[in-house]
Amino acid sequence: MRNKILQILFNLFKINEIKLHPLNYLFWECTQRCNLCCLHCGSDCVSDAQYKDMPFEDFLNAVLPLKNMYPPDSITVVITGGEPLLRKDLPDCGKQLRKNGFRWGIVTNGYLYDNQKHTELLSSGMGAITVSLDGLEMHHNWLRCNPKSFQNAVDAIEIIATSQRLNYDIVTCVNKLNINELEEIKQLLLSKKVKNWRLFTIAPIGRAAHNPDLHLSPKELHFLLAFIAKTRNEHKINTYFSCESYLGKYERKVRDTFFFCRAGVNIASVLIDGSISACPNIDRTFSQGNIYKDNIAEIWENKFQIMRHRQWAKKGICTTCKAFQHCKGGAMHLWDKQLTSNQACIFHRMNH
């Protein structure tokens, strides 16, 4: 009964949050170049990308109007790619963001992260970082298609975990090959004094669309969520599941709050070609404008209706789902460009 009441209250909170839609996180896809060729890459990034890196001045000039709507330190710019560490001007970009009041962080595979980069980025005002560790050595390297990837990621984690003022988390994309290593991965992270661990399943997008080794069965999904719930109850490492799906009986057991897809509500992005969207993993046909012809503040205020008002999502597997009032069609990045159905609803898969 208590959970039902809390869920009702949270649904009311979501209505108000959508009405206000304060922008908290702004992703910047600063490059599509990458030094790895991961099997699960949703962006299908390569070393020789189709688009050139976006000039930082273009991005900064585009986002400065947001300072008229929000205190800049209420927005965190999350620099992603591709691999952002391939940009030699990354420290300078960070310095300029802080000079203009924006908080910033990066998402990295950790391959190029060393003590020198750590010092440079902290000195440039970096306040947050996310690093991937996708299994023990054999399976991490298999997913990342590089024999040195695991050790480089672990070395990066060791460096990052020493910083007291840096907000960081380690993310693990769980698949059929690493799911039985979760306990050992946990022990490895504990040995490195890691405080925050976020676990994902792999969405059937990009390179992962047709690889059966990457996608969990209903039984494996239950195993993963039970593992997260158990680990949270141990209180040794702050472990939580990603925001990719409503989870029924596992709600609030594997995350601090109920499911809420915040794409277009609190999260926006500037993509490599200037497109203005929400989470970078969302199909690019859902972009709402472009910084080279639109004012991003006006786009944020007046568009994104497809993500904020989701009654249209009551179709496909969501048509008769009793949980629709709580999830409104689930995570936006799991919808195809035709908006026919959620492609990978965890709640549906576990219950059918």
Side-chain angles (χ1 to χ4, degrees):
M1 177 61 75
R2 182 173 183 271
N3 255 7
K4 288 184 178 179
I5 294 172
L6 290 174
Q7 178 73 77
I8 292 170
L9 293 174
F10 191 77
N11 289 348
L12 294 173
F13 160 78
K14 288 195 292 185
I15 292 171
N16 189 62
E17 191 75 352
I18 290 168
K19 181 180 179 180
L20 298 174
H21 51 267
L23 180 59
N24 301 136
Y25 291 95
L26 177 63
F27 285 87
W28 177 33
E29 188 181 44
C30 71
T31 183
Q32 280 196 334
R33 293 182 296 133
C34 193
N35 50 351
L36 298 179
C37 188
C38 304
L39 297 178
H40 65 310
C41 182
S43 301
D44 204 11
C45 295
V46 293
S47 57
D48 186 16
Q50 175 185 356
Y51 293 97
K52 294 181 179 180
D53 295 357
M54 179 183 290
F56 174 70
E57 293 76 14
D58 292 3
F59 174 75
L60 182 63
N61 290 334
V63 301
L64 285 178
L66 293 171
K67 294 172 67 172
N68 298 324
M69 295 175 63
Y70 305 103
D73 64 356
S74 69
I75 298 174
T76 298
V77 174
V78 183
I79 304 176
T80 185
E83 173 50 55
L85 292 178
L86 290 173
R87 285 189 65 129
K88 294 181 180 179
D89 65 344
L90 185 60
D92 293 332
C93 297
K95 285 179 183 177
Q96 289 301 312
L97 287 170
R98 285 305 295 139
K99 182 178 178 180
N100 283 278
F102 295 101
R103 301 178 187 273
W104 70 278
I106 66 171
V107 178
T108 176
N109 58 40
Y111 194 87
L112 296 174
Y113 202 89
D114 56 20
N115 281 300
Q116 180 180 347
K117 282 191 169 55
H118 183 68
T119 300
E120 287 177 350
L121 295 175
L122 286 179
S123 298
S124 299
M126 182 178 72
I129 186 169
T130 292
V131 181
S132 299
L133 187 70
D134 296 311
L136 300 181
E137 186 166 11
M138 182 173 71
H139 291 139
H140 177 94
N141 289 343
W142 163 77
L143 189 68
R144 298 280 167 178
C145 297
N146 187 295
K148 297 180 181 179
S149 179
F150 174 81
Q151 191 56 57
N152 286 23
V154 170
D155 291 346
I157 290 167
E158 288 181 339
I159 294 168
I160 290 162
T162 63
S163 179
Q164 297 299 311
R165 65 181 180 88
L166 188 61
N167 291 321
Y168 70 91
D169 64 355
I170 308 306
V171 299
T172 298
C173 292
V174 184
N175 56 72
K176 286 185 178 298
L177 275 69
N178 68 12
I179 190 167
N180 292 317
E181 299 176 343
L182 292 177
E183 181 63 33
E184 294 171 273
I185 297 169
K186 180 181 73 176
Q187 294 304 324
L188 173 61
L189 295 178
L190 286 170
S191 74
K192 305 301 180 185
K193 298 181 170 37
V194 169
K195 298 177 182 178
N196 301 298
W197 185 24
R198 181 161 39 120
L199 295 98
F200 287 77
T201 62
I202 297 175
I205 58 178
R207 292 189 198 130
H210 304 293
N211 189 333
D213 287 336
L214 300 181
H215 307 300
L216 302 181
S217 68
K219 183 178 180 180
E220 289 165 333
L221 288 169
H222 281 288
F223 177 87
L224 168 61
L225 296 174
F227 170 82
I228 296 174
K230 172 179 173 291
T231 301
R232 286 170 63 86
N233 286 334
E234 294 170 352
H235 302 293
K236 293 179 181 179
I237 181 171
N238 180 27
T239 307
Y240 47 102
F241 189 61
S242 67
C243 56
E244 62 195 276
S245 183
Y246 174 77
L247 301 171
K249 68 180 182 179
Y250 293 103
E251 288 291 304
R252 297 188 71 243
K253 293 181 180 179
V254 297
R255 290 186 290 245
D256 293 337
T257 64
F258 292 100
F259 171 74
F260 183 13
C261 179
R262 295 178 181 268
V265 178
N266 306 118
I267 299 171
S269 65
V270 174
L271 304 179
I272 190 68
D273 64 348
S275 294
I276 301 166
S277 188
C279 298
N281 280 342
I282 291 174
D283 193 280
R284 299 187 178 222
T285 58
F286 300 135
S287 296
Q288 302 293 294
N290 192 291
I291 63 167
Y292 292 111
K293 62 183 181 66
D294 299 309
N295 182 304
I296 192 173
E298 293 177 0
I299 294 293
W300 178 254
E301 188 60 29
N302 298 313
K303 290 201 172 184
F304 289 95
Q305 300 308 309
I306 192 172
M307 301 171 201
R308 295 172 186 168
H309 304 290
R310 301 279 293 274
Q311 282 303 123
W312 60 262
K314 199 170 180 62
K315 61 175 71 173
I317 60 174
C318 301
T319 303
T320 58
C321 182
K322 295 180 180 179
F324 184 81
Q325 62 180 318
H326 304 314
C327 77
K328 300 297 184 183
M332 192 70 196
H333 72 277
L334 296 177
W335 283 82
D336 57 31
K337 64 180 68 176
Q338 291 81 24
L339 293 177
T340 53
S341 185
N342 184 309
Q343 302 175 80
C345 174
I346 292 176
F347 179 74
H348 177 81
R349 288 154 63 198
M350 289 194 301
N351 289 281
H352 293 81

